Amino acid sequence: VAIGHGVILAAEKIEEGASAKEIAEFLEDWYNTVDIYLACYTLQYAKKSGRIGAATAFVGELLGMRPIIRMVDGKTETVDKLRGNLGIVDKLFQQYKKTRPSKDAEVMVAHGRNIEEAQRLQKLIQKDIGREIPLYPLGSAIMINAGPDACAFVVKGENRN
């Protein structure tokens, strides 16, 4: 989602007449600033993929723990947790509000098979910023590790270089 949206924005810039150098600079900036925040509705897939151990997954599932994971530069970190599935969208929205540098920042929402939850997150963000944002399906590589019901948002933040 983060890579693809950057390519879509670059294509729009090409149509507007941007030079190859401008496109390369744009993409470099995009990939140095984009952050992905993802919520898992189960730990089962993270266990199967080796992202977390069997004991951690067992205890986490027993307690109903749901991580909010930040993905940046190929690394992941758990930035928040909650118990149960009911508050996932609200927790993602709170994380979005803490994360975004401004209401003008580029943002999009992504979903697995549970599109209704992603649409709810999309509506919350759109209401907050006063404009439409895109909704994309998550890629298979993410869903293999996060599960088919994962929900995420991608936001252009501060430059990490």
Side-chain angles (χ1 to χ4, degrees), residues 56-127:
T56 301
F58 176 76
V59 172
E61 281 296 322
L62 199 62
L63 296 173
M65 298 305 296
R66 303 296 180 245
I68 306 296
I69 300 167
R70 178 179 183 232
M71 300 169 58
V72 175
D73 298 331
K75 298 178 182 127
T76 61
E77 68 174 314
T78 300
V79 294
D80 208 344
K81 297 176 194 166
L82 69 153
R83 291 186 68 177
N85 293 343
L86 293 178
I88 286 178
V89 168
D90 295 324
K91 188 66 91 169
L92 278 171
F93 182 62
Q94 290 170 9
Q95 185 64 47
Y96 164 75
K97 286 178 36 174
K98 283 194 297 189
T99 303
R100 68 171 159 74
S102 74
K103 288 189 177 188
D104 296 330
E106 192 72 38
V107 63
M108 69 236 48
V109 172
H111 63 87
R113 68 181 175 195
N114 192 350
I115 193 168
E116 294 82 16
E117 290 286 279
Q119 288 172 328
R120 194 162 79 77
L121 178 60
Q122 179 190 35
K123 287 176 184 170
L124 286 169
I125 294 173
Q126 287 176 163
K127 183 177 179 185

